[in-house]
């Protein structure tokens, strides 16, 4: 089957750096996306990795290693507003952009 | 650009009734997706359109579910003979075909079947 594994919960303090890991088992893997979702809100696109390596967008960076079937999201200079659920999602070659989501990681940022 | 919109935001219905949801995607996006999300889970893919053509349906989508995108703009998702297990958040997203990993989600329609 197709599956993505990520930790269920992560806690960090304001101003710190946190890394959320994602491992995947998907045939026909095409790319890895990251989404943020606040309670009661819609998922919001953060980052996409189509190639191996690091993508940086402001305080957020995302990394992909196809050989290890692994990626991570790095959040720097954590703020209270970063408390949310974070999902990794795989897109599959020749399946038209359908995303397969992980179960999500709930990030709690403490003062 | 006002983003992806969905209507209604909330729907309470009795088991056995039919419901229809609407999604208006970002205007220049040619792909439109429907997902379902239950509490504590990631979104699950249901179906997607490229322009007006429905190109894939998940096995999760029983024959009680039907989706249309008649003119390649807005889309509707209909659930017939609703069951309590259909209670979930129904999310619509849109994207450009060449940026398939970058999908923009609407606020969702929360369905409660009593």
């Amino acid at each position: 089957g197709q599956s993505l594994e990520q930790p269920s919960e992560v806690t960090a303090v304001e101003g710190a750096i946190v890394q959320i890991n994602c491992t995947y088992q998907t045939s026909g893997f095409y790319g890895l996306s990251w989404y943020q979702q606040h309670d009661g809100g819609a998922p919001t696109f953060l980052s996409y990795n189509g190639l191996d390596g690091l993508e940086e967008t402001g305080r957020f960076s995302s990394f992909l290693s196809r050989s290890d079937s692994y990626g991570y999201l790095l959040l720097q200079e954590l703020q209270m507003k970063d408390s949310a659920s974070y999902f990794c999602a795989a897109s599959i070659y020749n399946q038209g952009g359908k995303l397969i989501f992980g179960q999500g990681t709930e990030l709690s940022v403490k003062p | 650009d006002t983003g992806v919109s969905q209507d209604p935001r909330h729907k309470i219905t009795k088991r056995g009734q039919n419901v229809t949801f609407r999604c208006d995607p970002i205007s220049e996006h040619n792909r439109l997706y429907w997902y379902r999300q239950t509490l504590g889970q990631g979104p699950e893919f249901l179906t997607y359109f490229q322009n007006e053509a429905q190109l894939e349906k998940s096995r999760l989508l029983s024959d009680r579910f039907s989706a249309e995108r008649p003119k390649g703009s807005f889309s509707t998702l209909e659930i017939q003979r609703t069951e309590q297990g259909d209670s979930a958040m129904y999310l619509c997203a849109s994207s450009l075909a060449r940026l398939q990993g970058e999908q923009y989600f609407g606020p969702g329609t929360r369905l409660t079947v009593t």
Side-chain angles (χ1 to χ4, degrees):
Chain A
Q2 316 268 44
S3 66
L4 293 91
E5 299 277 338
Q6 48 182 132
S8 58
E9 296 179 347
V10 172
T11 301
V13 295
E14 212 171 0
I17 299 172
V18 73
Q19 178 173 312
I20 299 174
N21 298 320
C22 174
T23 56
Y24 59 87
Q25 289 187 325
T26 55
S27 56
F29 175 83
Y30 191 79
L32 192 70
S33 304
W34 288 91
Y35 288 81
Q36 178 193 61
Q37 188 175 31
H38 286 98
D39 272 350
T44 302
F45 172 77
L46 292 177
S47 186
Y48 174 74
N49 292 78
L51 302 173
D52 280 7
L54 193 67
E55 292 284 338
E56 296 179 85
T57 311
R59 295 188 297 116
F60 296 166
S61 304
S62 59
F63 173 82
L64 176 65
S65 168
R66 289 169 179 268
S67 60
D68 296 319
S69 298
Y70 164 76
Y72 66 72
L73 178 70
L74 192 73
L75 296 86
Q76 302 182 33
E77 300 170 17
L78 280 174
Q79 302 174 9
M80 299 295 289
K81 67 178 182 179
D82 297 329
S83 292
S85 292
Y86 292 84
F87 295 91
C88 57
S91 49
I92 309 300
Y93 185 71
N94 268 350
Q95 289 193 18
K98 169 177 93 172
L99 292 177
I100 300 170
F101 282 81
Q103 300 254 29
T105 298
E106 186 172 350
L107 172 64
S108 297
V109 180
K110 307 292 187 187
Chain B
D1 187 350
T2 57
V4 179
S5 62
Q6 292 186 245
D7 183 71
R9 296 290 304 276
H10 303 273
K11 179 70 177 179
I12 300 174
T13 191
K14 292 186 177 179
R15 190 177 54 187
Q17 298 294 303
N18 299 345
V19 294
T20 300
F21 310 142
R22 177 181 169 122
C23 171
D24 287 87
I26 293 172
S27 56
E28 62 265 30
H29 286 177
N30 52 358
R31 285 202 178 158
L32 186 149
Y33 312 83
W34 287 97
Y35 293 86
R36 180 170 66 188
Q37 187 176 28
T38 53
L39 199 61
Q41 304 293 315
E44 292 177 297
F45 171 80
L46 295 177
T47 189
Y48 93 94
F49 294 82
Q50 178 148 323
N51 303 312
E52 66 274 12
Q54 187 174 19
L55 296 186
E56 187 174 347
K57 290 174 62 172
S58 165
R59 294 188 191 96
L60 293 174
L61 219 63
S62 76
D63 56 7
R64 296 185 298 107
F65 288 71
S66 62
E68 294 182 342
R69 193 182 183 197
K71 295 182 181 178
S73 56
F74 74 93
S75 176
T76 58
L77 178 70
E78 181 182 18
I79 309 175
Q80 296 183 326
R81 305 181 303 281
T82 52
E83 301 172 357
Q84 287 189 321
D86 297 332
S87 295
M89 177 72 85
Y90 290 82
L91 294 163
C92 175
S94 68
S95 78
L96 293 170
R98 60 182 173 84
L99 295 174
Q100 60 188 32
E102 187 175 332
Q103 297 182 13
Y104 291 85
F105 283 79
T109 295
R110 181 166 295 285
L111 173 67
T112 302
V113 182
T114 62

